[in-house]
Each structure stands twice: as C-alpha cells, then as structure tokens.
Amino acid sequence: MKTFLRQQLERYPIRLQELDFFLQQSDVVSDMDRFRALTREHAEVSEVAALFSRFLQAEAGLAQAQEMLDDPDMAQMAREEIAAIESELPGLEDGLQKLLLPKDPDDVRNTFLEIRAGAGGDESALFAGDLLRMYTRYAERQGWRCEIVSESQGEVGGYKEVVLRVVGDGCHGKLKFESGGHRVQRVPATEAQGRIHTSACTVAAMPEPDEAQAVTLNPADLRIDTFRASGAGGQHINKTDSAVRVVHLPTGIVAECQDGRSQHANKAKALQVLQARIQEKERSERAAKEAATRKGLIGSGDRSDRIRTYNFPQGRLTDHRINLTLYKLLFVMEGDLDEVIEALLLARKAEQLEELEAGAVPR
C-alpha cells in the first residue's frame, strides 16, 4: 500500500474514538442537526476503520506466515496461508481506496438533461432527437424513469431544445459526464450529393435540487408568465394557459414547463429546472476556475467543450476527454452507453487518486 494512503487511513481509528466521545455528550444529543451530522460521519468512518482493521490483520497474518517458512513442519501450511492472504490483500486495498475517494453528494440525485441543437441547422435538431432517444434507451436499461419537462421541436423533426427529467437511484452520478459538446458526422437525409456534414449539440446534466430548494429563490427576482401550451396534448392542454415560464431576473436564466395539465404543477417543475440551471451556472464557473489550476481529466463540464464525436460513416464513437474510441456506434445510439460511462468513471477515480496523493483533496 502506498504511504500516502496508509497515512490517510491511520487517521480513521483516531477520528472514530473522537466521534464516539462526542456522541455521548448531552449537548450534542440535544442538538439534532449536529447529532445527525456526527452520526452520518460515524457510519462512514466506522466503515473505513473496520475495513482498515481487516487489512492490518491480513498484513500481520502474512508476516507471521512468512516467518513460519523456516520451519520444515509448518512450511507447506505457511505457503498456503501466504497465497490466500496475497490474493485477499489487493481487494481490501482497492476497497479502501474507493472509500477514501471524496463522494459527490449530487451523485444520488435525479437529473435534468438539457439537450440543445447547435451548429448545423435542421441536422443538429435531428441529432438532438437522436441523443434524446439514446439517453431514454439507456435510462430504460438502468431501470430509471424519464419524462420530458419542456421541448421546442425542430422544423423538420428533432428538437431545437428539450429538457428530460431522469428519475432513478444514482442516475446523476453516471449522467454528469454527458455535459459538453457532442459532434456528429454523417450524411443528412436531406443531402442529395451524399456529402458528410458535421453538426453539433450541447448537453447539460444538472442534478435535481431538493424540493425545498426551489422555494429559496427570492420571489422578487422572478418573473412568472403563463401561456398556452403548444404541440400534442389533447383538448385540455390546448384550451388552458397551463404552461409556465419563469425568468430569473438577476441572471436572465429561463425555465419553462408545459408537460403537466396543472398550472401549479408546471410552475413547481419550472422552478426546479430554474434552480438546477442556476446551480449549474455556479458550478461551471467554479469548475472553470479550478480547471485553470489543475488538469481536469473529465473536463470542466462547460457546454462549449467538445467532449465526444459520433462518426456514422465509420461507425465510430470517440470520447476526447479520455481518448476512448469504440466502433459500436449503432449500439451506443440504441442506449448501450455502459462501456463509455464505465471508462469515464474509472478515469475520474484515477484522477481522484492522483489528487488524494498530491494532498489536493483534504479529508
């Protein structure tokens, strides 16, 4: 085990003793917020300390078995013990590394996926529709639920802009890497000469805020408009001004929802999207500052970043952040994103370990 990891882990048994002491104090027990925070930390620290104890026991057992090799009567049993422990230690060390990596509290949240057509006109809008289908199919494979919050359809199909809400355990932790610029190279259906065109879309994956967070917006900073929903929806949706648009005046950020039949429900959902967009703007600004001081393997998440290219003539997908190339584009477009997302998760884990070793991520 690397020295820096061992030094980090040696702090956990000490912190566990401190937490045991704090949780027995009457002033802590009477302060429920502090008590809950310390209880959560106690559970996390206990898990690490327990696994580290198993690792140390395995190390001690290995040392004892190696000493027994000099005894002819015990050598065979010692060799078997050494083989068993040596096969166990890497798994224990890997588990400890994972527990040490900082956790993003947003990873467990639901996600708003915003897909916008960019350069490329009608072809870009069609590609936005293809991306929406890809993410919807991927969500189905994961057992997640999807619903369209707002949409602006393209003139020949697809979408100028569409916002998809994805509901499922840990979905943001996997979809957050989709933020950025997505470029497509293919022959459009409208191209008579068979020439390959390049167009682009931008995607933003935004964690859904807590329901209580949306109401923290200052009402004086909001302008709320109602309007008649457009598109399919039956007689009811075409006869009532149930759609809601909310403008955050200080930033100019806009969110709207026309999916539900109730104006009240649409307003609540639009406020959630607005809060998510404001938080995403703040996060992007912070990430841009951090990117100036560190490499940023997975990218800042800025939607102007070109993160991926979909080359249809070659059946090739390339993720430029980690130099991953796969020749299974048609499968990917059907929602088979597992290999791409797993590679991004592994790359992020490697980056976090580098930061941990460098002391960039304090515990």
Side-chain angles (χ1 to χ4, degrees):
M1 177 181 287
K2 292 184 178 180
T3 303
F4 82 94
L5 283 174
R6 191 178 293 272
Q7 290 172 344
Q8 293 273 343
L9 290 164
E10 285 170 350
R11 301 176 190 173
Y12 280 80
I14 299 170
R15 179 58 178 165
L16 189 59
Q17 290 179 353
E18 293 174 347
L19 291 168
D20 285 334
F21 173 78
F22 289 141
L23 288 170
Q24 293 173 12
Q25 306 308 304
S26 58
D27 60 325
V28 172
V29 175
S30 62
D31 184 345
M32 286 309 297
D33 288 340
R34 189 180 179 203
F35 182 76
R36 286 194 197 95
L38 289 175
T39 301
R40 282 195 298 269
E41 185 184 355
H42 188 277
E44 294 173 0
V45 172
S46 295
E47 185 179 10
V48 179
L51 190 58
F52 186 46
S53 176
R54 282 181 55 196
F55 179 84
L56 292 176
Q57 289 172 4
E59 272 193 334
L62 181 62
Q64 290 175 358
Q66 288 171 335
E67 290 176 0
M68 291 163 54
L69 287 172
D70 295 332
D71 186 339
D73 296 331
M74 305 292 289
Q76 180 59 33
M77 185 176 72
R79 281 192 289 269
E80 293 173 359
E81 183 74 9
I82 289 169
I85 295 174
E86 286 181 340
S87 66
E88 180 187 14
L89 280 173
L92 292 173
E93 185 171 346
D94 186 61
L96 287 166
Q97 285 184 1
K98 288 178 180 177
L99 289 175
L100 280 182
L101 296 180
K103 297 176 179 65
D104 185 344
D106 287 336
D107 282 356
V108 298
R109 295 190 182 279
N110 300 329
T111 305
F112 289 117
L113 270 182
E114 175 189 273
I115 307 171
R116 290 190 179 188
D122 291 339
E123 169 63 9
S124 179
L126 291 171
F127 181 52
D130 293 337
L131 288 177
L132 175 66
R133 183 174 183 271
M134 177 183 77
Y135 290 130
T136 303
R137 289 291 181 89
Y138 175 68
E140 289 173 357
R141 287 167 173 258
Q142 302 297 313
W144 302 335
R145 179 167 56 84
C146 296
E147 59 184 74
I148 291 179
V149 175
S150 67
E151 59 182 323
S152 174
Q153 296 185 355
E155 294 177 4
V156 298
Y159 298 91
K160 295 176 183 177
E161 177 184 337
V162 60
V163 178
L164 182 72
R165 179 174 180 250
V166 185
V167 179
D169 184 32
C171 64
H172 185 71
K174 292 187 175 181
L175 291 173
K176 64 183 179 181
F177 299 118
E178 297 306 298
S179 290
H182 295 244
R183 184 178 67 171
V184 62
Q185 295 171 323
R186 63 184 177 187
V187 179
T190 55
E191 170 57 56
Q193 304 297 322
R195 293 173 297 185
I196 296 172
H197 288 226
T198 298
S199 56
C201 290
T202 56
V203 174
M206 303 170 289
E208 181 181 64
D210 288 334
E211 289 185 9
Q213 282 186 294
V215 299
T216 62
L217 294 167
N218 186 349
D221 291 337
L222 304 177
R223 189 182 79 232
I224 301 176
D225 303 318
T226 59
F227 60 98
R228 189 161 299 177
S230 60
Q235 292 181 335
H236 175 87
I237 201 167
N238 289 322
K239 286 185 177 179
T240 61
D241 291 339
S242 59
V244 175
R245 180 183 296 110
V246 185
V247 182
H248 186 241
L249 299 174
T251 61
I253 295 174
V254 181
E256 64 180 50
C257 181
Q258 56 182 329
D259 184 58
R261 292 178 174 236
S262 158
Q263 186 181 113
H264 177 76
N266 282 337
K267 177 183 174 182
K269 199 167 288 184
L271 283 170
Q272 275 202 311
V273 175
L274 182 70
Q275 181 77 22
R277 284 178 171 165
I278 292 171
Q279 290 179 345
E280 173 68 10
K281 180 176 182 291
E282 293 171 351
R283 188 205 64 78
S284 294
E285 289 171 352
R286 288 196 306 271
K289 291 179 182 177
E290 292 170 5
T293 58
R294 69 180 185 88
K295 178 178 60 176
L297 174 67
I298 302 302
S300 68
D302 187 317
R303 285 182 282 167
S304 64
D305 292 344
R306 188 191 73 185
I307 63 166
R308 196 175 293 155
T309 295
Y310 304 73
N311 186 303
F312 277 79
Q314 297 179 16
R316 170 173 55 83
L317 177 139
T318 302
D319 196 294
H320 304 288
R321 296 164 293 181
I322 55 174
N323 296 320
L324 173 71
T325 297
L326 299 175
Y327 288 90
K328 50 183 289 186
L329 181 56
L330 295 181
F331 292 100
V332 170
M333 298 309 294
E334 289 297 319
D336 186 4
L337 277 166
D338 293 293
E339 192 170 350
V340 181
I341 288 175
E342 286 301 317
L344 288 162
L345 287 168
L346 285 172
R348 178 59 184 146
K349 175 187 171 184
E351 186 184 46
Q352 285 180 308
L353 284 172
E354 287 180 13
E355 292 170 351
L356 194 66
E357 186 168 7
V361 183
R363 287 289 305 184

